[in-house]
Amino acid sequence: MSRVLRTVVLTTVVFILALLQSFAQGGVVNSTKNAQQIAALHWYGANHTTTFSIGGFAMSIAYDGANIWVPSETDSSVMKLRANDGALLGTFTVGNYPDGLAYDGANMWVANANDSTVTKLRGSDGTALGTFNTGSNPSGLAFDGENIWVANTGANYVTKLRASDGTVIGNYLVGQSPTHIAFDGTNIWVSNTTSNTVTKLLGITGATLGTFNVGGNPRSIVFDGASIWVACSLSNNVYKLNANNGSVQGKYAVGSTPYGVTFDGANIWVVSFANSTVTKLASSNGAILGTYAVGSGPEEAAFDGTYIWVVNVNDSTVSKL
């Protein structure tokens, strides 16, 4: 190889190496995306919706660590969907008019509203492990690490069941028409739909620690690690309460008739039934980060670690954001 050709080749190689080094140091300088977010699988915002048909009338949704569970109130069953692609893995018979769901780490619990019972299904294969009596019209459920708590909408009290065998440990009075429950690591929080309040109970004993006013018709309730969030469907907002003393830290306008609320580890997602949208709020200050269209008549939402799942009552679908 001639000296001139060697010089040209070496110069070209040096130029390419310098270009690669500059690119590695600088990255993609003209992108509006945050490269740090790829580790959290949040490279893009939630602006694309995938929808799966479920064929039943569903008003609740839960995640078990791998799969999405949705009750069908029209045929007294619960459907299990694979979270990565929405494939139907099974349909399991439960009681009459199944509503709320809660997962205890191994089993899925289902509130059967018209039977005044809850059914315990083995999470792996949907086998029924027992059906246990509760109060009238059970709705929301929560797991506290040892027990299942049931909001009895028609009885104005919550029932505490031992998760291992379904034994009733106690019944505790709350407000009128309790529908949803959340656990904050120590205490149980209950939304009282008719009395426009939430009640805080000590998880160990069920003792009432306080009752706090919120907006009209409070429904779904969630804990974000520091605060309690409550969707209030008549006032079209979501309340943020201090988990220590129940004081109102903020109230934030969302879509029309908010029913469901869930937490993704950083943000609060609020499901608005009347305008078929989901609103994403920063949990730190309630700032609106986005509003996303879903199916018709969305009721509740669940977070699977990456995506938000929403159950849509009016068109018998679930949306994955």
Side-chain angles (χ1 to χ4, degrees):
M1 182 184 294
S2 68
R3 179 179 299 176
V4 173
L5 183 58
R6 286 199 302 270
T7 301
V8 171
V9 170
L10 288 173
T11 301
T12 302
V13 170
V14 169
F15 174 77
I16 292 173
L17 290 174
L19 180 63
L20 290 174
Q21 183 179 15
S22 174
F23 178 81
Q25 290 176 349
V28 182
V29 297
N30 63 346
S31 174
T32 60
K33 306 299 181 184
N34 180 3
Q36 301 287 345
Q37 290 182 313
I38 195 169
L41 302 180
H42 288 161
W43 184 259
Y44 297 106
N47 55 6
H48 297 288
T49 304
T50 301
T51 301
F52 304 99
S53 177
I54 54 175
F57 186 76
M59 298 178 66
S60 186
I61 191 167
Y63 177 61
D64 71 2
N67 308 293
I68 295 294
W69 295 70
V70 183
S72 175
E73 296 176 345
T74 53
D75 59 6
S76 300
S77 66
V78 177
M79 289 166 281
K80 179 181 178 181
L81 308 177
R82 190 164 56 209
N84 63 351
D85 61 3
L88 179 64
L89 300 179
T91 300
F92 313 105
T93 299
V94 290
N96 188 12
Y97 208 81
D99 192 351
L101 302 171
Y103 185 61
D104 70 6
N107 309 292
M108 187 62 66
W109 292 75
V110 186
N112 306 307
N114 287 354
D115 287 347
S116 298
T117 63
V118 294
T119 298
K120 179 181 180 181
L121 303 176
R122 187 160 57 209
S124 59
D125 60 8
T127 298
L129 301 178
T131 297
F132 312 101
N133 293 325
T134 62
S136 174
N137 194 19
S139 180
L141 304 179
F143 178 58
D144 70 2
E146 294 184 7
N147 310 289
I148 295 292
W149 292 76
V150 186
N152 301 298
T153 304
N156 299 337
Y157 64 80
V158 297
T159 299
K160 180 181 180 181
L161 305 175
R162 190 162 56 211
S164 60
D165 60 7
T167 298
V168 175
I169 296 175
N171 295 307
Y172 311 101
L173 288 174
V174 289
Q176 296 178 352
S177 304
T179 60
H180 292 75
I181 302 184
F183 180 58
D184 71 5
T186 303
N187 309 294
I188 295 292
W189 293 76
V190 185
S191 60
N192 306 307
T193 302
T194 304
S195 53
N196 300 333
T197 61
V198 295
T199 300
K200 179 181 179 181
L201 306 176
L202 183 63
I204 295 176
T205 65
T208 300
L209 301 179
T211 299
F212 312 103
N213 294 323
V214 290
N217 197 28
R219 295 178 63 92
S220 188
I221 186 168
V222 72
F223 178 59
D224 73 359
S227 305
I228 297 292
W229 293 76
V230 188
C232 300
S233 62
L234 286 184
S235 51
N236 295 331
N237 55 26
V238 59
Y239 272 63
K240 180 181 180 181
L241 306 180
N242 185 308
N244 292 323
N245 58 24
S247 62
V248 176
Q249 295 178 310
K251 55 181 178 179
Y252 310 102
V254 289
S256 179
T257 319
Y259 281 170
V261 60
T262 196
F263 178 57
D264 72 2
N267 308 293
I268 296 294
W269 297 74
V270 184
V271 177
S272 297
F273 177 86
N275 59 354
S276 299
T277 62
V278 179
T279 302
K280 179 182 178 182
L281 307 176
S283 62
S284 58
N285 59 11
I288 293 179
L289 303 178
T291 300
Y292 312 101
V294 289
S296 177
E299 281 267 351
E300 301 284 350
F303 179 57
D304 72 0
T306 304
Y307 299 100
I308 299 293
W309 291 76
V310 183
V311 61
N312 307 302
V313 175
N314 290 345
D315 60 12
S316 298
T317 63
V318 290
S319 298
K320 182 180 180 181
L321 299 175

